Coordinates of all heavy atoms in Angstrom, one line a residue:
M1 N 37.8 176.0 -71.8 CA 38.4 176.9 -70.8 C 39.3 176.2 -69.9 O 39.0 175.1 -69.4 CB 37.3 177.7 -70.0 CG 36.6 178.7 -70.8 SD 36.1 180.1 -69.8 CE 34.8 179.4 -68.8
E2 N 40.4 176.9 -69.6 CA 41.4 176.2 -68.7 C 41.6 177.0 -67.5 O 41.8 178.2 -67.5 CB 42.7 176.2 -69.5 CG 43.8 175.3 -68.8 CD 45.2 175.5 -69.5 OE1 45.2 176.0 -70.6 OE2 46.1 175.1 -68.8
F3 N 41.5 176.4 -66.3 CA 41.7 177.0 -65.1 C 43.2 177.0 -64.7 O 43.8 175.9 -64.8 CB 40.9 176.4 -64.0 CG 39.4 176.7 -64.0 CD1 38.5 175.9 -64.7 CD2 39.0 177.9 -63.4 CE1 37.2 176.3 -64.8 CE2 37.6 178.3 -63.5 CZ 36.8 177.4 -64.2
K4 N 43.7 178.1 -64.2 CA 45.0 178.1 -63.8 C 45.1 178.6 -62.3 O 44.2 179.3 -61.9 CB 45.8 179.2 -64.6 CG 46.1 178.7 -66.0 CD 46.9 179.8 -66.7 CE 47.1 179.4 -68.2 NZ 47.7 180.5 -68.9
K5 N 46.1 178.1 -61.6 CA 46.3 178.5 -60.3 C 47.2 179.8 -60.2 O 48.3 179.7 -60.7 CB 46.9 177.4 -59.5 CG 46.7 177.5 -58.0 CD 47.2 176.3 -57.3 CE 47.1 176.5 -55.8 NZ 47.8 175.5 -55.0
C6 N 46.7 180.8 -59.5 CA 47.4 182.0 -59.4 C 48.7 181.8 -58.6 O 48.7 181.2 -57.5 CB 46.6 183.1 -58.7 SG 47.5 184.6 -58.4
S7 N 49.9 182.2 -59.2 CA 51.1 182.0 -58.5 C 51.3 183.0 -57.4 O 52.3 182.9 -56.6 CB 52.3 182.0 -59.4 OG 52.3 183.1 -60.2
R8 N 50.4 183.9 -57.2 CA 50.6 184.9 -56.1 C 49.6 184.5 -54.9 O 50.1 184.4 -53.8 CB 50.3 186.3 -56.5 CG 50.3 187.3 -55.4 CD 50.5 188.7 -55.9 NE 50.5 189.6 -54.7 CZ 51.3 190.7 -54.6 NH1 52.0 191.1 -55.6 NH2 51.2 191.4 -53.5
C9 N 48.3 184.3 -55.2 CA 47.4 184.1 -54.1 C 46.9 182.6 -54.0 O 46.3 182.2 -53.1 CB 46.2 185.0 -54.1 SG 45.1 184.7 -55.5
G10 N 47.1 181.9 -55.1 CA 46.8 180.5 -55.1 C 45.3 180.2 -55.5 O 44.9 179.0 -55.6
S11 N 44.6 181.2 -55.8 CA 43.2 181.0 -56.3 C 43.2 180.6 -57.8 O 44.1 181.0 -58.5 CB 42.3 182.2 -56.0 OG 42.8 183.3 -56.7
F12 N 42.1 180.0 -58.2 CA 42.0 179.5 -59.6 C 41.4 180.6 -60.4 O 40.5 181.3 -59.9 CB 41.2 178.2 -59.7 CG 42.0 177.1 -59.1 CD1 41.8 176.7 -57.8 CD2 42.9 176.4 -59.9 CE1 42.6 175.6 -57.3 CE2 43.7 175.3 -59.4 CZ 43.5 175.0 -58.1
F13 N 41.8 180.8 -61.6 CA 41.3 181.8 -62.5 C 41.4 181.4 -63.9 O 42.1 180.4 -64.2 CB 42.0 183.1 -62.3 CG 43.5 183.0 -62.7 CD1 43.8 183.6 -63.9 CD2 44.4 182.4 -62.0 CE1 45.2 183.6 -64.4 CE2 45.7 182.3 -62.4 CZ 46.1 182.9 -63.6
V14 N 40.7 182.0 -64.8 CA 40.7 181.8 -66.2 C 41.3 183.0 -66.9 O 40.7 184.1 -66.9 CB 39.4 181.5 -66.8 CG1 39.5 181.1 -68.3 CG2 38.7 180.3 -66.1
S15 N 42.5 182.9 -67.4 CA 43.1 184.0 -68.1 C 44.5 183.6 -68.7 O 44.9 182.5 -68.4 CB 43.4 185.1 -67.1 OG 44.3 186.1 -67.6
D16 N 45.1 184.4 -69.5 CA 46.4 184.2 -69.8 C 47.3 184.6 -68.7 O 46.9 185.4 -67.8 CB 46.8 185.0 -71.1 CG 46.0 184.5 -72.3 OD1 45.7 183.3 -72.3 OD2 45.7 185.3 -73.1
G17 N 48.6 184.1 -68.7 CA 49.5 184.6 -67.7 C 49.5 183.7 -66.5 O 48.8 182.6 -66.4
N18 N 50.2 184.1 -65.4 CA 50.4 183.2 -64.3 C 49.7 183.7 -63.0 O 49.7 183.0 -62.0 CB 51.9 183.1 -63.9 CG 52.7 182.5 -65.1 OD1 52.3 181.5 -65.6 ND2 53.8 183.1 -65.4
I19 N 49.1 184.9 -63.1 CA 48.4 185.4 -61.9 C 47.0 185.9 -62.3 O 46.7 186.2 -63.4 CB 49.2 186.5 -61.2 CG1 49.5 187.6 -62.3 CG2 50.5 186.0 -60.6 CD1 50.1 188.9 -61.6
C20 N 46.1 185.9 -61.2 CA 44.8 186.4 -61.5 C 44.7 187.9 -61.6 O 45.7 188.6 -61.3 CB 43.9 185.9 -60.3 SG 44.2 186.7 -58.7
S21 N 43.5 188.4 -62.0 CA 43.4 189.8 -62.3 C 43.6 190.7 -61.0 O 44.2 191.8 -61.1 CB 42.1 190.2 -62.9 OG 41.0 189.7 -62.1
K22 N 43.1 190.2 -59.9 CA 43.3 190.9 -58.6 C 44.8 191.1 -58.3 O 45.3 192.1 -57.9 CB 42.7 190.1 -57.4 CG 41.3 190.4 -57.2 CD 40.8 189.7 -55.9 CE 39.3 189.4 -56.0 NZ 38.9 188.4 -55.0
C23 N 45.6 190.0 -58.5 CA 47.0 190.0 -58.2 C 47.8 190.8 -59.2 O 48.9 191.3 -58.8 CB 47.5 188.6 -58.0 SG 46.9 187.8 -56.6
S24 N 47.3 190.9 -60.4 CA 48.1 191.6 -61.4 C 48.2 193.1 -61.0 O 49.1 193.8 -61.3 CB 47.6 191.4 -62.8 OG 46.3 192.0 -62.9
I25 N 47.1 193.6 -60.3 CA 47.1 195.0 -59.9 C 48.1 195.1 -58.7 O 48.9 196.1 -58.7 CB 45.7 195.4 -59.3 CG1 44.7 195.4 -60.5 CG2 45.8 196.8 -58.7 CD1 43.3 195.4 -60.1
K26 N 48.2 194.2 -57.8 CA 49.1 194.2 -56.7 C 50.6 194.1 -57.3 O 51.5 194.7 -56.8 CB 48.9 193.1 -55.7 CG 47.6 193.3 -54.9 CD 47.5 192.1 -54.0 CE 46.1 192.1 -53.4 NZ 45.8 190.8 -52.7
D27 N 50.7 193.2 -58.3 CA 52.0 193.0 -58.9 C 52.5 194.3 -59.5 O 53.7 194.7 -59.3 CB 52.0 192.0 -60.0 CG 52.3 190.6 -59.5 OD1 52.3 190.4 -58.3 OD2 52.6 189.7 -60.3
E28 N 51.6 195.0 -60.2 CA 52.0 196.3 -60.8 C 52.5 197.3 -59.8 O 53.5 198.0 -60.0 CB 50.9 196.9 -61.5 CG 50.8 196.5 -63.0 CD 49.5 197.0 -63.7 OE1 49.2 198.2 -63.4 OE2 48.9 196.3 -64.5
Q29 N 51.8 197.4 -58.6 CA 52.2 198.3 -57.5 C 53.6 197.9 -57.0 O 54.5 198.7 -56.7 CB 51.2 198.3 -56.4 CG 49.9 199.0 -56.9 CD 48.7 198.7 -55.9 OE1 48.8 197.9 -55.0 NE2 47.7 199.5 -56.0
D30 N 53.8 196.6 -56.8 CA 55.0 196.1 -56.2 C 56.2 196.4 -57.2 O 57.2 196.8 -56.8 CB 55.0 194.5 -56.0 CG 54.2 194.2 -54.7 OD1 53.9 195.1 -54.0 OD2 54.1 193.0 -54.5
I31 N 55.9 196.1 -58.5 CA 57.0 196.3 -59.5 C 57.4 197.8 -59.5 O 58.5 198.1 -59.7 CB 56.5 195.7 -60.8 CG1 56.6 194.2 -60.7 CG2 57.4 196.2 -61.9 CD1 55.9 193.5 -61.9
K32 N 56.4 198.7 -59.4 CA 56.6 200.1 -59.4 C 57.5 200.5 -58.2 O 58.5 201.2 -58.4 CB 55.3 200.9 -59.4 CG 55.3 202.2 -60.0 CD 54.0 202.9 -60.0 CE 53.1 202.3 -61.1 NZ 51.7 203.0 -61.1
K33 N 57.2 199.9 -57.1 CA 57.9 200.2 -55.8 C 59.3 199.6 -56.0 O 60.3 200.3 -55.6 CB 57.2 199.5 -54.7 CG 57.5 200.0 -53.3 CD 57.0 199.1 -52.2 CE 55.4 199.2 -52.1 NZ 55.0 198.3 -51.0
L34 N 59.4 198.5 -56.5 CA 60.7 197.8 -56.7 C 61.6 198.6 -57.6 O 62.8 198.8 -57.3 CB 60.5 196.4 -57.2 CG 61.7 195.5 -57.4 CD1 62.5 195.3 -56.1 CD2 61.3 194.1 -57.9
K35 N 61.1 199.1 -58.7 CA 61.9 199.9 -59.7 C 62.4 201.2 -59.0 O 63.5 201.5 -59.2 CB 61.0 200.2 -60.9 CG 60.9 199.1 -61.9 CD 60.1 199.7 -63.1 CE 59.6 198.6 -64.0 NZ 58.6 199.1 -64.9
N36 N 61.5 201.8 -58.3 CA 61.9 203.0 -57.6 C 63.0 202.7 -56.6 O 64.0 203.5 -56.5 CB 60.7 203.6 -56.8 CG 59.7 204.3 -57.7 OD1 60.1 204.7 -58.8 ND2 58.5 204.5 -57.2
Y37 N 62.9 201.6 -55.9 CA 63.9 201.3 -54.9 C 65.2 201.0 -55.6 O 66.3 201.4 -55.1 CB 63.5 200.0 -54.1 CG 64.4 199.7 -53.0 CD1 64.4 200.4 -51.8 CD2 65.4 198.7 -53.2 CE1 65.3 200.1 -50.8 CE2 66.3 198.5 -52.2 CZ 66.3 199.1 -51.0 OH 67.2 198.8 -50.0
I38 N 65.2 200.3 -56.7 CA 66.4 199.9 -57.4 C 67.1 201.2 -58.0 O 68.3 201.3 -58.0 CB 66.1 198.9 -58.6 CG1 65.7 197.6 -58.0 CG2 67.3 198.8 -59.5 CD1 65.2 196.6 -59.0
E39 N 66.2 202.2 -58.4 CA 66.8 203.4 -58.9 C 67.5 204.2 -57.8 O 68.5 204.9 -58.1 CB 65.7 204.3 -59.5 CG 65.4 203.9 -61.0 CD 64.1 204.6 -61.5 OE1 63.8 205.7 -60.9 OE2 63.5 204.1 -62.4
E40 N 67.0 204.2 -56.6 CA 67.5 205.0 -55.5 C 68.6 204.3 -54.7 O 69.3 205.0 -53.9 CB 66.3 205.4 -54.6 CG 65.4 206.4 -55.2 CD 64.1 206.5 -54.5 OE1 64.0 206.0 -53.3 OE2 63.2 207.1 -55.0
N41 N 68.7 203.0 -54.8 CA 69.7 202.3 -54.0 C 70.7 201.6 -54.9 O 70.4 200.7 -55.6 CB 69.0 201.3 -53.1 CG 68.1 202.1 -52.1 OD1 68.6 202.5 -51.0 ND2 66.9 202.3 -52.5
E42 N 72.0 202.0 -54.7 CA 73.0 201.3 -55.5 C 73.3 199.9 -55.1 O 73.6 199.0 -55.8 CB 74.3 202.1 -55.5 CG 74.2 203.4 -56.3 CD 75.5 204.1 -56.5 OE1 76.6 203.5 -56.2 OE2 75.5 205.2 -57.0
N43 N 73.2 199.7 -53.8 CA 73.5 198.4 -53.2 C 72.2 197.8 -52.8 O 71.5 198.2 -51.8 CB 74.4 198.5 -52.0 CG 74.9 197.2 -51.6 OD1 74.4 196.1 -52.0 ND2 76.0 197.2 -50.8
L44 N 71.8 196.7 -53.5 CA 70.5 196.1 -53.2 C 70.6 195.1 -52.0 O 69.6 194.8 -51.4 CB 70.0 195.4 -54.4 CG 69.7 196.3 -55.6 CD1 69.2 195.4 -56.8 CD2 68.6 197.3 -55.3
G45 N 71.8 194.7 -51.7 CA 71.9 193.7 -50.6 C 71.3 192.4 -51.0 O 71.1 192.1 -52.2
S46 N 71.0 191.6 -50.0 CA 70.5 190.3 -50.2 C 69.0 190.4 -50.6 O 68.4 191.4 -50.4 CB 70.7 189.4 -49.0 OG 69.8 189.9 -48.0
L47 N 68.5 189.3 -51.0 CA 67.1 189.2 -51.4 C 66.2 189.5 -50.1 O 65.2 190.2 -50.2 CB 66.7 187.9 -51.9 CG 65.6 187.8 -52.9 CD1 65.7 188.7 -54.1 CD2 65.4 186.3 -53.4
E48 N 66.7 189.0 -49.0 CA 66.0 189.3 -47.7 C 65.9 190.7 -47.4 O 64.9 191.3 -46.9 CB 66.6 188.4 -46.6 CG 66.2 187.0 -46.6 CD 67.0 186.2 -47.6 OE1 68.0 186.7 -48.2 OE2 66.6 185.0 -47.9
E49 N 67.1 191.4 -47.5 CA 67.2 192.8 -47.2 C 66.3 193.6 -48.2 O 65.5 194.5 -47.8 CB 68.6 193.3 -47.4 CG 69.5 193.0 -46.2 CD 70.9 193.3 -46.5 OE1 71.4 193.0 -47.6 OE2 71.6 193.8 -45.6
L50 N 66.3 193.2 -49.4 CA 65.5 193.9 -50.4 C 64.0 193.7 -50.1 O 63.2 194.6 -50.2 CB 65.8 193.3 -51.8 CG 65.2 193.9 -53.0 CD1 65.6 195.4 -53.1 CD2 65.6 193.2 -54.3
S51 N 63.7 192.5 -49.6 CA 62.3 192.2 -49.2 C 61.9 193.1 -48.0 O 60.8 193.7 -47.9 CB 62.2 190.7 -48.8 OG 60.9 190.5 -48.2
N52 N 62.8 193.2 -47.0 CA 62.5 194.0 -45.8 C 62.3 195.5 -46.1 O 61.5 196.1 -45.6 CB 63.7 193.9 -44.8 CG 63.6 192.5 -44.1 OD1 62.6 191.8 -44.0 ND2 64.8 192.1 -43.6
N53 N 63.2 196.0 -47.0 CA 63.2 197.4 -47.4 C 62.0 197.8 -48.3 O 61.6 198.9 -48.3 CB 64.5 197.8 -48.0 CG 65.6 197.7 -47.0 OD1 65.4 197.8 -45.8 ND2 66.8 197.5 -47.5
T54 N 61.5 196.9 -49.1 CA 60.4 197.2 -50.0 C 59.1 196.7 -49.5 O 58.1 197.2 -50.0 CB 60.7 196.6 -51.4 OG1 60.8 195.2 -51.3 CG2 61.9 197.2 -52.1
G55 N 59.1 195.8 -48.6 CA 57.8 195.2 -48.1 C 57.3 194.2 -49.1 O 56.2 193.7 -48.9
I56 N 58.1 193.8 -50.1 CA 57.6 192.8 -51.0 C 58.2 191.5 -50.6 O 59.4 191.4 -50.2 CB 58.1 193.1 -52.5 CG1 57.7 194.5 -52.9 CG2 57.7 192.1 -53.5 CD1 58.3 195.1 -54.1
T57 N 57.4 190.4 -50.6 CA 58.0 189.1 -50.1 C 59.0 188.6 -51.0 O 59.1 188.9 -52.2 CB 56.8 188.1 -50.0 OG1 56.3 187.8 -51.3 CG2 55.7 188.6 -49.1
V58 N 59.9 187.8 -50.4 CA 61.0 187.2 -51.2 C 60.5 186.4 -52.3 O 61.0 186.4 -53.5 CB 61.9 186.3 -50.3 CG1 62.9 185.5 -51.1 CG2 62.6 187.2 -49.3
R59 N 59.4 185.7 -52.1 CA 58.7 184.9 -53.1 C 58.3 185.7 -54.3 O 58.5 185.3 -55.4 CB 57.5 184.2 -52.5 CG 56.9 183.1 -53.3 CD 55.6 182.6 -52.6 NE 54.7 182.1 -53.6 CZ 54.7 180.8 -54.0 NH1 55.5 180.0 -53.5 NH2 53.8 180.4 -54.9
N60 N 57.7 186.8 -54.0 CA 57.2 187.7 -55.1 C 58.4 188.3 -55.8 O 58.4 188.5 -57.0 CB 56.3 188.8 -54.5 CG 54.9 188.3 -54.3 OD1 54.4 187.3 -55.0 ND2 54.1 188.8 -53.4
L61 N 59.4 188.8 -55.0 CA 60.6 189.3 -55.7 C 61.2 188.3 -56.6 O 61.6 188.7 -57.8 CB 61.7 189.7 -54.6 CG 61.4 190.9 -53.7 CD1 62.4 191.0 -52.6 CD2 61.4 192.2 -54.6
S62 N 61.3 187.1 -56.2 CA 61.9 186.0 -57.1 C 61.1 185.9 -58.4 O 61.6 185.8 -59.5 CB 61.9 184.7 -56.4 OG 62.5 184.8 -55.1
R63 N 59.8 186.0 -58.2 CA 58.9 185.8 -59.3 C 59.1 187.0 -60.3 O 59.1 186.8 -61.5 CB 57.4 185.8 -58.9 CG 56.5 185.3 -59.9 CD 55.2 184.8 -59.2 NE 54.6 185.7 -58.2 CZ 53.9 186.8 -58.6 NH1 53.7 187.0 -59.8 NH2 53.4 187.5 -57.6
Y64 N 59.2 188.2 -59.8 CA 59.4 189.4 -60.7 C 60.7 189.3 -61.4 O 60.7 189.6 -62.6 CB 59.3 190.7 -59.9 CG 58.0 190.9 -59.1 CD1 58.0 191.6 -57.9 CD2 56.8 190.4 -59.6 CE1 56.9 191.8 -57.2 CE2 55.7 190.6 -58.9 CZ 55.7 191.3 -57.7 OH 54.6 191.5 -57.0
I65 N 61.7 188.9 -60.7 CA 63.0 188.9 -61.3 C 63.1 187.8 -62.4 O 63.7 188.0 -63.4 CB 64.1 188.7 -60.3 CG1 64.2 189.9 -59.4 CG2 65.5 188.4 -60.9 CD1 64.8 189.7 -58.0
N66 N 62.4 186.7 -62.2 CA 62.4 185.7 -63.2 C 61.4 185.9 -64.3 O 61.6 185.4 -65.4 CB 62.0 184.3 -62.5 CG 63.2 183.8 -61.8 OD1 64.2 183.4 -62.4 ND2 63.1 183.7 -60.5
N67 N 60.3 186.6 -64.1 CA 59.3 186.7 -65.1 C 59.2 188.1 -65.8 O 58.6 188.2 -66.8 CB 57.9 186.5 -64.5 CG 57.8 185.1 -63.9 OD1 58.5 184.2 -64.4 ND2 56.9 184.9 -63.0
N68 N 59.8 189.1 -65.1 CA 59.7 190.5 -65.7 C 61.1 190.9 -66.3 O 62.0 191.1 -65.5 CB 59.3 191.4 -64.5 CG 59.0 192.8 -65.0 OD1 59.9 193.5 -65.7 ND2 57.8 193.3 -64.8
E69 N 61.1 191.0 -67.6 CA 62.4 191.3 -68.3 C 63.0 192.6 -67.8 O 64.2 192.7 -67.6 CB 62.2 191.4 -69.8 CG 62.0 190.0 -70.5 CD 63.2 189.1 -70.3 OE1 64.3 189.5 -70.4 OE2 63.0 187.9 -70.0
E70 N 62.2 193.5 -67.5 CA 62.7 194.9 -67.1 C 63.4 194.8 -65.8 O 64.5 195.3 -65.6 CB 61.5 195.9 -67.1 CG 61.9 197.3 -67.4 CD 60.8 198.2 -67.4 OE1 59.6 197.8 -67.6 OE2 61.0 199.4 -67.1
I71 N 62.7 194.1 -64.8 CA 63.3 193.9 -63.5 C 64.6 193.1 -63.6 O 65.6 193.4 -63.0 CB 62.3 193.2 -62.5 CG1 61.0 194.1 -62.4 CG2 62.9 192.9 -61.2 CD1 61.2 195.4 -61.6
K72 N 64.5 192.1 -64.4 CA 65.7 191.2 -64.6 C 66.9 192.0 -65.1 O 68.0 191.9 -64.6 CB 65.3 190.1 -65.6 CG 66.3 188.9 -65.5 CD 66.0 187.9 -66.7 CE 64.8 187.1 -66.4 NZ 64.5 186.1 -67.5
N73 N 66.6 192.9 -66.1 CA 67.7 193.7 -66.6 C 68.2 194.7 -65.6 O 69.5 194.9 -65.5 CB 67.2 194.5 -67.9 CG 67.0 193.5 -69.0 OD1 67.5 192.4 -69.1 ND2 66.1 194.0 -70.0
I74 N 67.3 195.3 -64.9 CA 67.8 196.3 -63.9 C 68.6 195.6 -62.8 O 69.7 196.0 -62.4 CB 66.6 197.0 -63.2 CG1 65.8 197.8 -64.3 CG2 67.0 198.0 -62.1 CD1 64.5 198.4 -63.8
S75 N 68.1 194.5 -62.3 CA 68.7 193.8 -61.2 C 70.1 193.3 -61.6 O 71.0 193.2 -60.7 CB 67.9 192.7 -60.6 OG 67.7 191.7 -61.6
S76 N 70.3 192.9 -62.8 CA 71.6 192.4 -63.3 C 72.7 193.5 -63.3 O 73.8 193.2 -63.4 CB 71.5 191.7 -64.6 OG 71.1 192.6 -65.6
N77 N 72.3 194.8 -63.2 CA 73.2 195.9 -63.2 C 73.9 196.1 -61.9 O 74.8 196.8 -61.7 CB 72.5 197.2 -63.6 CG 72.1 197.2 -65.1 OD1 72.7 196.5 -65.9 ND2 71.2 198.0 -65.4
F78 N 73.3 195.4 -60.9 CA 73.8 195.6 -59.5 C 74.6 194.4 -59.0 O 74.2 193.3 -59.3 CB 72.7 195.9 -58.6 CG 72.0 197.2 -58.9 CD1 71.0 197.3 -59.8 CD2 72.5 198.4 -58.3 CE1 70.4 198.5 -60.1 CE2 71.9 199.6 -58.5 CZ 70.8 199.7 -59.4
K79 N 75.7 194.7 -58.3 CA 76.4 193.6 -57.7 C 75.8 193.4 -56.3 O 75.6 194.3 -55.5 CB 77.9 194.0 -57.5 CG 78.6 193.8 -58.8 CD 80.1 193.6 -58.4 CE 80.9 193.3 -59.7 NZ 81.2 194.6 -60.4
L80 N 75.4 192.2 -56.0 CA 74.8 191.9 -54.7 C 75.9 191.4 -53.8 O 76.8 190.7 -54.2 CB 73.7 190.8 -54.9 CG 72.5 191.3 -55.6 CD1 71.7 190.2 -56.3 CD2 71.6 192.2 -54.7
N81 N 75.9 191.9 -52.6 CA 76.9 191.7 -51.6 C 76.8 190.4 -50.8 O 77.4 190.2 -49.8 CB 77.1 192.9 -50.7 CG 75.8 193.1 -49.9 OD1 74.9 192.3 -50.0 ND2 75.9 194.1 -49.0
N82 N 75.9 189.6 -51.3 CA 75.5 188.4 -50.5 C 75.3 187.2 -51.4 O 74.6 187.4 -52.4 CB 74.3 188.8 -49.7 CG 73.9 187.7 -48.7 OD1 73.9 186.5 -49.0 ND2 73.6 188.1 -47.5
S83 N 75.8 186.1 -51.1 CA 75.7 184.9 -52.0 C 74.2 184.4 -52.0 O 73.9 183.7 -52.9 CB 76.6 183.8 -51.5 OG 76.2 183.4 -50.2
E84 N 73.4 184.9 -51.1 CA 72.0 184.5 -51.1 C 71.2 185.5 -52.0 O 70.0 185.5 -51.9 CB 71.4 184.5 -49.7 CG 71.9 183.4 -48.8 CD 71.5 183.6 -47.4 OE1 70.4 184.1 -47.2 OE2 72.3 183.2 -46.5
G85 N 71.9 186.2 -52.8 CA 71.2 187.2 -53.6 C 70.5 186.6 -54.8 O 70.1 185.5 -54.8
F86 N 70.5 187.4 -55.9 CA 69.8 186.9 -57.1 C 70.4 185.7 -57.7 O 69.7 185.0 -58.5 CB 69.8 188.1 -58.1 CG 69.0 189.3 -57.6 CD1 69.5 190.5 -57.7 CD2 67.7 189.1 -57.1 CE1 68.8 191.6 -57.2 CE2 67.0 190.2 -56.6 CZ 67.5 191.4 -56.7
N87 N 71.6 185.4 -57.5 CA 72.2 184.2 -58.1 C 71.5 182.9 -57.7 O 71.4 182.0 -58.5 CB 73.7 184.1 -57.7 CG 74.5 185.2 -58.3 OD1 74.1 185.8 -59.3 ND2 75.6 185.5 -57.7
N88 N 71.0 182.9 -56.5 CA 70.4 181.6 -56.0 C 68.9 181.6 -56.2 O 68.2 180.8 -55.6 CB 70.7 181.4 -54.5 CG 72.1 180.9 -54.4 OD1 72.7 180.4 -55.3 ND2 72.6 181.0 -53.2
I89 N 68.4 182.5 -57.0 CA 67.0 182.8 -57.0 C 66.2 181.6 -57.5 O 65.1 181.3 -56.9 CB 66.7 184.0 -57.9 CG1 65.7 184.9 -57.2 CG2 66.2 183.6 -59.3 CD1 65.9 186.3 -57.6
S90 N 66.7 180.8 -58.4 CA 65.9 179.7 -58.9 C 65.7 178.6 -57.8 O 64.7 177.9 -57.8 CB 66.6 179.0 -60.1 OG 67.9 178.7 -59.8
V91 N 66.6 178.6 -56.8 CA 66.5 177.6 -55.7 C 65.3 178.0 -54.9 O 64.7 177.1 -54.3 CB 67.8 177.6 -54.9 CG1 67.7 176.6 -53.7 CG2 69.0 177.3 -55.8
N92 N 65.0 179.3 -54.8 CA 63.9 179.7 -53.9 C 62.5 179.5 -54.4 O 61.6 179.7 -53.7 CB 64.1 181.2 -53.5 CG 65.4 181.4 -52.7 OD1 65.8 180.6 -51.9 ND2 66.0 182.5 -53.0
L93 N 62.4 179.1 -55.6 CA 61.1 179.1 -56.2 C 60.3 177.8 -55.8 O 60.9 176.8 -55.6 CB 61.2 179.1 -57.8 CG 61.5 180.5 -58.3 CD1 61.7 180.5 -59.8 CD2 60.5 181.6 -57.9
Ligands
ZN1 ZN1 45.9 185.9 -57.4

């Protein structure tokens, strides 16, 4: 058995994937919220604005965009008005 450190809460767990089972529930809720927000807002603004408006931390937003194909595809349809947007996302990890 291999222990992994959850990339959301930092606790150790045994499972496939990058996050523990508790956090996968929170991730699902965040991703649902994020998808709704993206559907309703043409201009996503910077990552910080997106974080303020959705209540999802920048760290978690970065993780979703990098790890979730669906979010990645949706977010690439929008032009961000700020150089600190999704383009620089790998720097924030
Ligand atoms: Zn966790």
Side-chain angles (χ1 to χ4, degrees):
M1 286 216 288
E2 189 190 346
F3 284 93
K4 290 181 180 172
K5 198 177 177 193
C6 175
S7 51
R8 177 161 179 147
C9 70
S11 63
F12 289 94
F13 67 103
V14 183
S15 165
D16 293 328
N18 298 314
I19 53 168
C20 69
S21 54
K22 273 185 208 164
C23 290
S24 67
I25 297 165
K26 291 180 192 166
D27 267 16
E28 271 177 38
Q29 289 168 345
D30 279 357
I31 286 168
K32 210 176 280 177
K33 202 190 289 178
L34 183 58
K35 279 185 198 166
N36 286 339
Y37 185 82
I38 291 171
E39 276 170 22
E40 287 165 13
N41 294 273
E42 289 193 9
N43 191 343
L44 297 180
S46 69
L47 208 55
E48 282 76 14
E49 282 171 317
L50 190 57
S51 171
N52 287 337
N53 291 333
T54 57
I56 304 168
T57 63
V58 170
R59 190 187 154 90
N60 281 332
L61 286 171
S62 307
R63 195 159 49 79
Y64 302 148
I65 292 158
N66 282 295
N67 297 334
N68 185 304
E69 284 301 317
E70 209 176 335
I71 298 290
K72 199 187 283 180
N73 290 339
I74 296 169
S75 66
S76 65
N77 291 335
F78 293 87
K79 281 203 176 80
L80 293 157
N81 61 1
N82 186 315
S83 60
E84 289 171 33
F86 294 132
N87 292 337
N88 282 342
I89 226 154
S90 53
V91 180
N92 294 327
L93 286 176

